[in-house]
Structures are given as C-alpha cells and as structure tokens.
Amino acid sequence: DAGVIQSPRHEVTEMGQEVTLRCKPISGHNSLFWYRQTMMRGLELLIYFNNNVPIDDSGMPEDRFSAKMPNASFSTLKIQPSEPRDSAVYFCASRRTSGGGNEQFFGPGTRLTVL
Amino acid sequence: DQQVKQNSPSLSVQEGRISILNCDYTNSMFDYFLWYKKYPAEGPTFLISISSIKDKNEDGRFTVFLNKSAKHLSLHIVPSQPGDSAVYFCAATPAGAGSYQLTFGKGTKLSVIP
C-alpha cells in the first residue's frame, strides 16, 4: 500500500521564481493537509482540505501561497513569487475522516531552498 | 504561544534502558494525543495515541501516560534500541468527529547509544 507521495523531494530556486509542490494522498483518504516545518516554528498547518474542498487556510502565510486539490488523488501547493524566508521542509499528510482515528499519515516532504 | 511544549530538545539514553519523553499542553480543549517519530529525510510516522478517557496506552515497547490534571503526557520506550534514535513529536487535538487540527510540539531528539 503506497503511502503519501510528494514531489519533488528537493527544490532549489532563486528568489522571485514560482515553486509548485505536489502531493498524492493515500488512496481512500479524504482529508489532506499541507504543513511547513522550520527550526523556529516547528510543524505548522498551512491548509486543510476535506473531500477536495479547502476547509481551513488560516495557516497560509500570505497571498503568495496558494493550494489546490482538483481531485481526490492530487494536490498542489504553489508559492509565487518565492522568497528566501520560504525555505523550509513542506509536508503533505492525509487521513480518512470517518472510521479512523485522528492519525494523519505524512509524506516524505519537500525540502525547499530559496536563494 | 505554544500550546504543546516539549521542553527537552534532546535526550541521550543507553541501549536497553528506558527512554522517557515528556510533553506538556496548555489548551484544556485537547482531548486526544499522539506521538510521532521522525527519521532524517523522512516524514513523521504515527507511533501511538491516547484518548483523554484513558491514562495509559501500551503498544509493545511503547507506552504513553496521560495526566489530565497536570496537562502532561509522556512516552516511555522500554527497552530502548539504537533504531529508536529519531525526533519524537507530541501532538494534540480537540475531541469530536469534526476535529482535524493537530497541534505539534517542536520535538525531542532521542539518541540511543549502543
């Protein structure tokens, strides 16, 4: 059973460029989460989708960040334009809303470096 | 304002001994607690959880204890093995079918010395 898949695993870009991170949740999971991990702030929830609909985007830092979930098996997190302070590890996680616990299953993360 | 705190950034333990990782929380609405383990270059993986109706949950070498009155939980690993060396995150969430947000602590790096 495949886990959460994220791509790319590493991304190095220059300030001002657009960055797109991709996530494929676990099949059958109807909730999807994007997190950002930094040394200063730890793991922070950026946005939560349920049944492909954004439910809570209060963690999205600013308008430069956007996320979409066009279908149940794919989501993107876009940063445009990127800035050096966006450098972090970005995780995608998924879970089954009903019939399961509160456990979320995380992907391996994308390490983003903005120069 | 950290609602979930792991006050020890790191912990070193000899192989075979007990590892105790601690976590404190401030939000009294938290009702379900989880521990995640994270190896370098990997995502966090779920380890064990506990509901507030219990004070202990055990799974093999891992036991989580919850003290609601003190708003404190701990993860015990007995016996500790070198493969347990990782960063451990405590997380909490309010109860209810609609709850979804996990609030994480900043983690404790455990090193098990052979």
Side-chain angles (χ1 to χ4, degrees), chain A residues 9 40 56 95 104 106-107, chain B residues 32 36 41 43-44 99-100 106:
Chain A
R9 293 295 309 275
M40 287 291 292
D56 181 0
R95 75 166 200 182
Q104 297 175 16
F106 284 77
Chain B
Y32 191 82
Y36 280 80
S99 67
Y100 59 86
K106 290 193 174 181

Side-chain angles (χ1 to χ4, degrees), chain A residues 95 101-106, chain B residues 4 6 23 31-37 45-51 64 66 73 75 88-94 100-105:
Chain A
R95 75 166 200 182
N102 293 63
E103 306 89 79
Q104 297 175 16
F105 297 83
F106 284 77
Chain B
V4 177
Q6 295 177 256
C23 178
D31 211 71
Y32 191 82
F33 305 89
L34 308 91
W35 285 94
Y36 280 80
K37 179 169 73 173
T45 55
F46 170 70
L47 188 59
I48 192 169
S49 62
I50 188 166
S51 166
V64 57
L66 175 63
L73 63 156
L75 174 69
Y88 289 79
F89 292 96
C90 170
T93 185
Y100 59 86
Q101 185 155 3
L102 293 182
T103 302
F104 286 87

